[in-house]
Amino acid sequence: MSILTKVFGDANQKYLNNLFAEVGLINSQEEAVQKLTDQQLKDKTAEFKKLIAEGKDIDELIYEIFAVVREAAKRTLGQRHFDVQLIGGLVLHHGQVAEMRTGEGKTLTSTLAAYANALTGKGAHVITVNDYLAKRDAVWMGQVYDFLGLTVGVVAHDQAFLYDATKAKAEKDTVRDQGVEIEDTFLRIVTRKEAYQADITYGTNNEFGFDYLRDNMVQNLSDRVQRDLHYAIVDEVDSILIDEARTPLIISAPDVESTDQYMRFAQIVTELIENEDYNIDEKMRAATLTEVGISKVEKALGVDNVYTDAGIATVHHLEQALKAKTLFNRDEHYVVKEGEILIVDEFTGRLMQGRRYSEGLHQAIEAKEGVTVQRENRTMATITFQNYFRMYEKLAGMTGTAATEAEELMKIYDLEVTTIPTNKPMIRKDSTDKIYKTEAGKYRAVVREIKERHEKGQPILVGTISIEKNEYLTQLLEREGVPHNVLNAKQHEKEAMILAQAGAKGAVTIATNMAGRGVDIKLGGLPYDAANHQEVVDLGGLHVIGTERHEARRIDNQLRGRSGRQGDPGSSQFYVSLEDDLMRIFGSDRIKSVMNTLGLDEDTAIENGIISKSIESAQKKVEGHNFDIRKHLVEYDDIVNKQRENVYLLRTRILQIAEQQTPEETGEAFLQFKTLSEYILSQIKEEIIELISIHTQGSRPEWNLNEIKETLKTILPVRAEEFSKFDELAKTPGTDAVKDSLTDYILSLVNTRYEELSNYAKTNLIDLFPGRDPLAEIEKMVILRSIDLLWVEHLDTIAHLRSGIGLRGYGQRDPLVEYKRESFQLYSRLLAAIRKQIVYSIFKVSVAQKPTVAPAKTKQTSLKQVKEETSAFRGAEKRPEAQVIESKPKDESGHKIGRNDPCYCGSGKKYKKCHGQ
């Protein structure tokens, strides 16, 4: 206990004391609620909704609300919330993180806060770590919500569902038992939009994040699926908000065809020798070429200087190939499955379907493994989990292990962590680590212990840190004739079935770090039998063996937490060797010298509290380092995040006005327009003012009025007599007066042409846009095309800036300050480029009209096709792997316009000096 705690008391305990007082108020409502009939209990939902809609503060109703949910759970599930679960519910409702030990009923706890916050009518989201848990919890807890009159949705990979009360009630006994796999028959397939319209929606962090990005790529508001982000409970909050925070969500599209360079460099790096041609820094996870190595590569490529002769792209390929060879191991960081490289989540051990390493690293690994190298992708939309979840009005989380990450959760997400006491005292026995000199000696000891405990009948869960170690241990156990089940990323489909029996007498389960996160292991196995349960209790409960320390303490704590649930007995033991990565990298020399001094052999362990503390100290260092990396990431992403928010806000306003919806009120100056015509005309005005300003600098003889006229012709059609009027005004004496009169005259021409465009659209295009304003539809297409196309270009540029900005540190400049400055400049250029694209396009737009009589077998161009062709995303909002049109325009013959070719707008300038800027 720290001195501060002794003086001021434990802040967590003080807060808990207040919450226990609130629990007393909830319990005081129980007697009255118990007397209600089922229908009267259900009617309470409508009553609560009405009071909240009339302005009643939800906190004034919270005690009765919680009492109602507890009674509903008791009648549907046969489970009454414990007092500590009520405390957990209050913590979640207050927008905090509830740290609850494994087996304390987090899933049931979440129903309290989810129901309460769904009463606002804005919806509540419950975020889980995989699709199985999302479906399981929706069906399992759906009984409570349905009983109270709320709807439940699920968004899973490629599918969405609503809880089907009729089917679930028919199979009530099966659904109630959470250990049995939940069949999709209890869920009705619906659209994603319907699932999000439900009062409470379950799903994974990936699905929610990707749907947000896709919603901001749609061409019509009706295609959006999500509602405003109101309230979310993140289950396993440390896994989602911390472990996955460094991996951004990216929607991408195939860009250029793959070259054989990946295979070429994969071959070159296989001939390089460690410590001679390159060095590896395992702490920094970096591999760098030595002078000797660079010379070898240059010889292989036939160049004198790889950095100048071969170009930066070649150097990038080389670096990624070296990284793939040295730092990324098969069956640890990725697996090869059916000719495809699948990433393994280092924290959960699960396969990350659909995820790819960025910046060519994935292609480098594909080349290394000799599988088909897929095309590189171009980022079209991206966001980090850190910035996605911070958009919720209220965010809460729950996990068994958050206290060690409390600082990060507070600093990045403004989430306080409250540790909830267990319902029954924890009696699990956690033994001091056993430390061996070699990995071989450690595994022999692990196998011996598994064999001894298995022969007694005690169930055992063994945790490994990689698939490779998982399979190695499997071979050792098979050699010893010990029957066991294996749980790793390759068998994740069978996860629930394997874990359902992991607590049975004599069961041996070998698992990667995932260890069934989110699923309780029940003693005696399933289906539940009191006699089986007691028999395993008498044997000492579930014994957990950790074969290696993870670099994060809470991952070890999660593994330990599988045992000793709800007052059950249990035990845990970690085995460590000096050859383990954590020990090898972070100072095992001192321990090794102690073991050598004592003369210990491979098969003799040392158990020492001081050494165990030194291991924990190493873990703290790694945790601190990883926190710094994530903090660094969010500092950089915050800059782009503001730009993303502005671009998405602008897109939303464009769609709202085009579809005649009332735009949201906002104080943002760039959104102060009420029609699309008003917005476009303001953009044209800015362009005209800038055009005249640039070409009327200096004294009158230095003005270039012809350039103004030539550029003006590329913006809008101008008649000869109108240019005559322009020339007359240009002869007027004075300086500022001439500029003003020219500006006013040109803007009057713009207004005239715009009115003509409007009349043309209303007269000739009305059939193409039934029930809608044809001009608004044209305006929408032009604006969205400009924004979407140039936003993709901007993301590319920002990514390149980010990857190289660290080098500024060598010039004694703060990379973050430099990044802020340059990204702001790039954003300013983006806005200018969007303006130019709109201005130079609006008077040239042509809409394909349906022919009066369609000739046989002639392909027609519908409005939908026109919209897709004028969008940079071309329907990307409907699928993760979207197609993207080329960013460079083409000439009449279909060839891409080069940077030095005449610009397509007819200005006479080179493309790079005009629209290619």
Side-chain angles (χ1 to χ4, degrees):
M1 184 183 291
S2 69
I3 294 173
L4 288 174
T5 302
K6 287 180 180 177
V7 175
F8 297 105
D10 186 338
N12 189 80
Q13 189 56 52
K14 284 183 177 179
Y15 183 52
L16 286 176
N17 292 340
N18 292 334
L19 293 178
F20 271 116
E22 292 190 65
V23 167
L25 296 173
I26 298 169
N27 290 336
S28 68
Q29 302 266 353
E30 187 167 23
E31 188 177 344
V33 170
Q34 284 176 337
K35 293 176 181 177
L36 298 175
T37 64
D38 286 358
Q39 186 58 47
Q40 286 173 328
L41 201 60
K42 188 170 189 173
D43 291 342
K44 276 290 179 183
T45 298
E47 181 186 323
F48 292 144
K49 283 185 174 182
K50 183 172 181 291
L51 289 169
I52 292 168
E54 291 171 352
K56 189 88 168 177
D57 191 324
I58 195 169
D59 288 339
E60 296 177 47
L61 303 168
I62 200 67
Y63 308 129
E64 187 180 3
I65 288 171
F66 274 34
V68 164
V69 176
R70 177 157 69 178
E71 183 62 25
K74 198 165 72 171
R75 296 186 192 184
T76 55
L77 303 175
Q79 297 178 349
R80 177 183 176 275
H81 292 79
F82 304 131
D83 284 358
V84 289
Q85 289 176 313
L86 296 178
I87 288 176
L90 289 168
V91 169
L92 294 176
H93 172 63
H94 294 155
Q96 299 173 358
V97 171
E99 184 185 69
M100 300 177 71
R101 295 287 186 98
T102 301
E104 290 297 303
K106 291 190 291 292
T107 307
L108 184 62
T109 299
S110 67
T111 56
L112 298 160
Y115 172 82
N117 286 273
L119 293 171
T120 59
K122 298 177 182 178
H125 294 166
V126 182
I127 319 294
T128 65
V129 292
N130 60 49
D131 284 345
Y132 165 74
L133 291 176
K135 291 178 185 178
R136 184 205 72 177
D137 293 354
V139 171
W140 189 19
M141 297 299 113
Q143 299 168 85
V144 179
Y145 300 128
D146 177 71
F147 184 83
L148 292 171
L150 295 187
T151 55
V152 182
V154 182
V155 285
H157 187 62
D158 293 335
Q159 277 187 315
F161 308 89
L162 280 179
Y163 170 70
D164 193 321
T166 306
K167 291 179 180 177
K169 283 171 185 171
E171 302 282 350
K172 191 170 184 179
D173 292 335
T174 307
V175 176
R176 184 182 296 177
D177 191 345
Q178 63 139 338
V180 177
E181 287 197 67
I182 301 300
E183 299 291 340
D184 287 352
T185 50
F186 305 135
L187 299 166
R188 177 165 50 87
I189 295 176
V190 293
T191 64
R192 290 181 95 77
K193 192 166 189 171
E194 287 176 293
Y196 278 112
Q197 289 297 319
D199 295 303
I200 296 163
T201 306
Y202 286 81
T204 66
N205 47 323
N206 286 343
E207 296 307 313
F208 281 99
F210 279 128
D211 283 336
Y212 167 75
L213 291 176
R214 284 191 285 264
D215 275 357
N216 284 286
M217 296 163 67
V218 297
Q219 301 300 305
N220 298 288
L221 284 175
S222 58
D223 292 330
R224 287 190 170 180
V225 296
Q226 281 189 348
R227 293 194 275 173
D228 289 341
L229 304 179
H230 167 55
Y231 177 71
I233 298 172
V234 182
D235 192 9
E236 308 298 356
V237 66
D238 54 327
S239 174
I240 292 172
L241 297 190
I242 293 176
D243 294 342
E244 297 201 39
R246 284 161 64 179
T247 308
L249 292 169
I250 298 173
I251 290 182
S252 58
D255 188 13
V256 295
E257 290 294 328
S258 293
T259 67
D260 58 2
Q261 285 202 72
Y262 293 107
M263 304 299 287
R264 184 185 183 194
F265 281 105
Q267 181 60 41
I268 289 174
V269 297
T270 57
E271 298 166 10
L272 301 180
I273 303 165
E274 186 180 353
N275 296 328
E276 180 182 316
D277 301 321
Y278 63 87
N279 293 316
I280 299 174
D281 185 335
E282 291 188 89
K283 288 185 182 180
M284 300 300 294
R285 285 193 61 74
T288 53
L289 286 167
T290 62
E291 289 294 328
V292 175
I294 292 170
S295 297
K296 273 192 183 178
V297 170
E298 288 169 343
K299 189 175 179 182
L301 292 173
V303 297
D304 294 329
N305 187 322
V306 68
Y307 292 93
T308 57
D309 297 351
I312 194 68
T314 300
V315 175
H316 179 69
H317 281 303
L318 175 63
E319 290 171 343
Q320 297 295 59
L322 184 62
K323 199 173 177 182
K325 175 197 172 184
T326 58
L327 298 174
F328 289 80
N329 303 320
R330 184 170 179 165
D331 286 342
E332 181 181 352
H333 300 103
Y334 62 88
V335 297
V336 181
K337 189 174 182 181
E338 298 175 359
E340 188 179 356
I341 302 296
L342 298 177
I343 300 172
V344 175
D345 186 326
E346 64 173 309
F347 296 100
T348 67
R350 288 189 168 88
L351 294 181
M352 301 170 78
Q353 297 282 353
R355 293 278 192 96
R356 289 177 65 81
Y357 293 116
S358 59
E359 299 177 355
L361 176 60
H362 210 96
Q363 286 83 356
I365 294 172
E366 287 169 334
K368 167 190 167 184
E369 295 293 347
V371 302
T372 303
V373 178
Q374 297 183 23
R375 288 180 294 171
E376 283 198 61
N377 288 329
R378 188 173 193 195
T379 298
M380 301 170 67
T382 179
I383 193 170
T384 60
F385 286 125
Q386 291 162 318
N387 275 315
Y388 173 72
F389 283 109
R390 288 193 298 179
M391 287 191 292
Y392 278 91
E393 285 178 46
K394 185 159 67 166
L395 181 65
M398 51 189 186
T399 181
T401 48
T404 57
E405 312 296 341
E407 181 188 3
E408 181 167 353
L409 290 167
M410 186 66 206
K411 285 186 175 177
I412 293 181
Y413 302 99
D414 198 25
L415 285 172
E416 290 187 23
V417 176
T418 300
T419 302
I420 313 295
T422 55
N423 182 48
K424 294 179 180 178
M426 170 67 73
I427 59 172
R428 184 185 68 232
K429 181 185 176 185
D430 297 327
S431 301
T432 308
D433 295 1
K434 289 185 177 180
I435 302 162
Y436 291 80
K437 282 179 73 173
T438 65
E439 192 173 60
K442 176 185 73 173
Y443 276 109
R444 282 196 293 272
V446 168
V447 171
R448 278 197 303 272
E449 179 167 5
I450 292 173
K451 202 171 178 183
E452 287 170 12
R453 290 184 182 266
H454 174 65
E455 286 171 356
K456 290 192 302 181
Q458 185 176 13
I460 304 158
L461 173 68
V462 187
T464 63
I465 68 162
S466 69
I467 298 170
E468 182 185 21
K469 301 286 173 66
N470 186 290
E471 293 178 341
Y472 173 65
L473 185 57
T474 291
Q475 291 170 6
L476 295 180
L477 290 175
E478 285 174 350
R479 201 178 300 160
E480 293 294 324
V482 179
H484 60 281
N485 287 313
V486 179
L487 180 62
N488 62 33
K490 293 180 177 179
Q491 289 88 22
H492 70 279
E493 294 91 350
K494 303 173 186 174
E495 178 181 327
M497 190 168 59
I498 292 171
L499 281 164
Q501 303 307 327
K505 181 182 177 182
V508 177
T509 308
I510 314 297
T512 46
N513 284 333
M514 65 202 297
R517 189 164 188 169
V519 181
D520 289 338
I521 297 173
K522 295 184 177 180
L523 299 188
L526 289 173
Y528 176 77
D529 181 273
N532 291 342
H533 180 271
Q534 188 58 47
E535 188 177 9
V536 173
V537 166
D538 294 339
L539 288 167
L542 179 69
H543 181 63
V544 170
I545 295 176
T547 59
E548 199 165 328
R549 282 285 192 173
H550 194 274
E551 61 182 35
R553 287 169 295 165
R554 62 198 160 74
I555 305 295
D556 295 338
N557 292 338
Q558 285 160 13
L559 181 61
R560 274 200 167 119
R562 298 291 124 205
S563 174
R565 61 181 296 280
Q566 283 296 325
D568 282 337
S571 52
S572 72
Q573 175 72 67
F574 273 84
Y575 286 80
V576 179
S577 88
L578 301 187
E579 294 176 347
D580 294 347
D581 288 344
L582 184 72
M583 299 294 288
R584 185 170 48 78
I585 298 170
F586 292 93
S588 62
D589 293 342
R590 207 175 73 187
I591 304 170
K592 188 180 285 185
S593 65
V594 170
M595 297 185 87
N596 288 333
T597 303
L598 295 172
L600 300 178
D601 60 22
E602 278 193 2
D603 292 313
T604 305
I606 183 172
E607 293 183 58
N608 186 293
I610 295 173
I611 293 175
S612 292
K613 282 183 180 176
S614 72
I615 296 172
E616 188 172 332
S617 175
Q619 290 176 308
K620 285 180 181 177
K621 285 179 185 174
V622 181
E623 288 168 2
H625 175 66
N626 289 337
F627 174 33
D628 289 341
I629 290 173
R630 289 188 291 267
K631 189 165 174 283
H632 195 58
L633 175 72
V634 82
E635 284 173 344
Y636 279 87
D637 195 58
D638 279 346
I639 297 163
V640 181
N641 191 54
K642 186 59 184 174
Q643 299 174 7
R644 174 174 45 242
E645 284 178 359
N646 284 345
V647 169
Y648 286 175
L649 274 173
L650 177 59
R651 261 189 128 263
T652 300
R653 195 172 191 90
I654 298 301
L655 289 169
Q656 287 171 336
I657 292 173
E659 297 177 27
Q660 297 181 331
Q661 294 188 19
T662 305
E664 296 173 19
E665 287 301 320
T666 173
E668 299 286 355
F670 70 97
L671 296 180
Q672 300 309 309
F673 56 91
K674 292 183 172 57
T675 65
L676 298 188
S677 298
E678 184 184 328
Y679 173 70
I680 290 178
L681 287 169
S682 72
Q683 299 297 293
I684 297 174
K685 182 178 180 180
E686 282 185 42
E687 188 71 17
I688 296 299
I689 290 171
E690 185 178 320
L691 173 68
I692 292 173
S693 174
I694 288 171
H695 294 294
T696 57
Q697 293 179 358
S699 60
R700 286 285 290 265
E702 296 172 326
W703 289 5
N704 191 344
L705 298 179
N706 281 332
E707 189 63 38
I708 295 175
K709 289 160 65 177
E710 290 301 313
T711 304
L712 195 57
K713 283 195 289 185
T714 68
I715 296 175
L716 75 162
V718 184
R719 302 181 184 107
E721 63 272 17
E722 290 168 335
F723 271 131
S724 298
K725 173 74 171 172
F726 177 93
D727 292 334
E728 284 177 32
L729 290 171
K731 294 173 185 174
T732 308
T735 302
D736 291 339
V738 175
K739 290 181 184 180
D740 291 342
S741 59
L742 287 176
T743 302
D744 291 342
Y745 178 63
I746 292 173
L747 291 177
S748 70
L749 290 180
V750 168
N751 290 329
T752 301
R753 291 296 103 84
Y754 213 86
E755 196 172 333
E756 291 170 1
L757 176 63
S758 176
N759 291 334
Y760 170 81
K762 289 173 183 175
T763 306
N764 299 283
L765 305 178
I766 194 72
D767 292 340
L768 283 175
F769 306 93
R772 288 172 291 167
D773 180 355
L775 179 63
E777 288 296 316
I778 293 170
E779 291 168 329
K780 181 183 83 169
M781 292 189 318
V782 169
I783 297 169
L784 292 187
R785 177 188 185 279
S786 303
I787 294 172
D788 293 348
L789 187 66
L790 293 163
W791 176 243
V792 171
E793 297 277 359
H794 180 69
L795 289 177
D796 276 351
T797 311
I798 284 287
H800 286 119
L801 172 65
R802 176 72 181 88
S803 63
I805 202 72
L807 297 174
R808 305 292 174 88
Y810 293 109
Q812 305 302 309
R813 288 181 288 176
D814 185 337
L816 182 59
V817 172
E818 291 292 301
Y819 183 75
K820 283 180 180 177
R821 183 177 60 80
E822 293 204 21
S823 61
F824 176 75
Q825 290 174 353
L826 289 171
Y827 182 62
S828 299
R829 285 185 211 163
L830 168 68
L831 298 181
I834 290 173
R835 185 185 76 209
K836 283 183 181 295
Q837 188 76 27
I838 292 169
V839 170
Y840 286 86
S841 300
I842 188 62
F843 289 107
K844 301 183 184 70
V845 71
S846 60
V847 180
Q849 297 185 63
K850 296 176 185 175
T852 309
V853 180
K857 296 184 181 180
T858 298
K859 183 180 177 182
Q860 296 184 41
T861 304
S862 67
L863 171 62
K864 182 173 182 292
Q865 289 170 314
V866 171
K867 283 199 280 189
E868 288 183 346
E869 285 162 12
T870 55
S871 163
F873 295 124
R874 290 174 65 185
E877 68 276 6
K878 295 175 185 172
R879 53 190 182 276
E881 290 299 322
Q883 291 183 323
V884 61
I885 64 170
E886 300 289 349
S887 59
K888 283 188 178 179
K890 298 177 181 179
D891 59 23
E892 293 178 0
S893 60
H895 296 296
K896 271 197 229 175
I897 294 175
R899 286 179 54 74
N900 291 308
D901 293 339
C903 188
Y904 63 86
C905 69
S907 65
K909 298 179 185 178
K910 289 182 178 179
Y911 174 69
K912 67 181 181 182
K913 295 289 186 183
C914 191
H915 279 79
Q917 282 186 308

